[in-house]
Amino acid sequence: MSGTNGTSGAVWGVGAWVVGIAALLVALPLAASGRLPERVATHWGGFSGPPDGSMPLWAAALFPALIWVVLALAVGIGARWTGAARGGWAAGALLSGGVLLAGAQASIVRANLDHEDWRQAESATGWVVVVLVAAASAALGGVLVGRRRAAGPQEPAVDGPSMDIPSGERLVWLSRASNAWLQLIAAVAGLVAVAGGLAGLGGLMGSEWLLVAPFALASLLTLAFSSVRARVTGQGLEVAFGPLGRPVRRWAAEDIESAWVEERTAARVGGWGYRLSGLGTTVMLRGGECLVVRSKGKDFAVSVDDAERGAALLNSLKSLNSPGARRSG
């Protein structure tokens, strides 16, 4: 489940980002067409000089979108040619490129707003600096996400169903899962927040935060709980959420009372994502087998594949950490 769903979710997320940014680039100047001159200033001389270049409104709407589509295609071809997200450069390029072009488009619209002639357009320097900083931050975030997705287990995984742990050796179990629909919802909500922010930047809205804040929060929360990585080591269980592996929940091996596998569905636990119910806490990303652990009288379940071996390893670690086992050692 982790490989297929992770790839599917990534494809949906990238598709939504590419289409959404293209739509925003075209929609921003067209939405403000009644308040823009027939030709809009698109280039300024020097750091804060007057505008010295312009385009017809239709060209100013379509040209950045064309650049974006070509960039997205080039990144996609390059990522496929060099291997999926080597070093995270593809994610960084798409995130930063989209932020840069959309921010620049909003800055251009704002500079030309309510002027009869493009030569009267205001300077866009201040907003361009903000956009460049945002694009650099997006590039860094994309690289971190890409690298984390490409990283696999750092220690040898359990080979076979036996949970006998030879003296002096370490066994590690790792499983991932993701929900493509939750990732798509997060992408759509994020694009709505970006659109509201860009509309505010372009001077088209006066209370953009009423739109940006709730959608941005919904996007971040949904994205954080749309994927999960469960890992069992000699220290216990670690469950990391989201593309950056944050936040993280940890259970020490000696604190886990028992671990088992249980079939659960979204209807049974009250929905998708991070759910609280009479069964305890469940991270529900797909129906089916879940790894369930009980610690300090509370149950926690996560819907990942190969849960049986994860539970078996946790129970073996519990036996090794029991008082009798420590005395005999």
Side-chain angles (χ1 to χ4, degrees), residues 111-254:
N112 285 273
L113 206 62
D114 297 325
H115 292 294
E116 296 182 358
D117 189 275
W118 66 269
R119 298 176 185 83
Q120 301 171 345
E122 301 170 1
S123 173
T125 302
W127 289 112
V128 168
V129 172
V130 173
V131 169
L132 289 175
V133 172
S137 301
L140 178 60
V143 170
L144 293 176
V145 170
R147 285 182 175 176
R148 188 168 188 88
R149 289 185 63 88
Q154 301 300 310
E155 300 177 71
V158 177
D159 185 15
S162 175
M163 289 295 105
D164 293 333
I165 304 178
S167 177
E169 293 191 12
R170 294 183 302 172
L171 295 182
V172 176
W173 172 86
L174 184 143
S175 186
R176 304 173 189 267
S178 62
N179 186 300
W181 287 106
L182 290 178
Q183 291 175 332
L184 180 60
I185 291 171
V188 172
L191 284 171
V192 172
V194 170
L198 291 175
L201 177 62
L204 303 180
M205 293 177 59
S207 56
E208 64 274 9
W209 292 112
L210 296 177
L211 176 67
V212 173
F215 278 95
L217 180 61
S219 177
L220 290 174
L221 290 177
T222 305
L223 182 63
F225 296 110
S226 66
S227 60
V228 68
R229 184 198 67 181
R231 186 168 183 257
V232 177
T233 66
Q235 286 70 47
L237 173 64
E238 175 186 277
V239 177
F241 300 92
L244 292 177
R246 296 289 187 275
V248 181
R249 288 197 64 177
R250 295 182 176 90
W251 294 260
E254 58 269 21

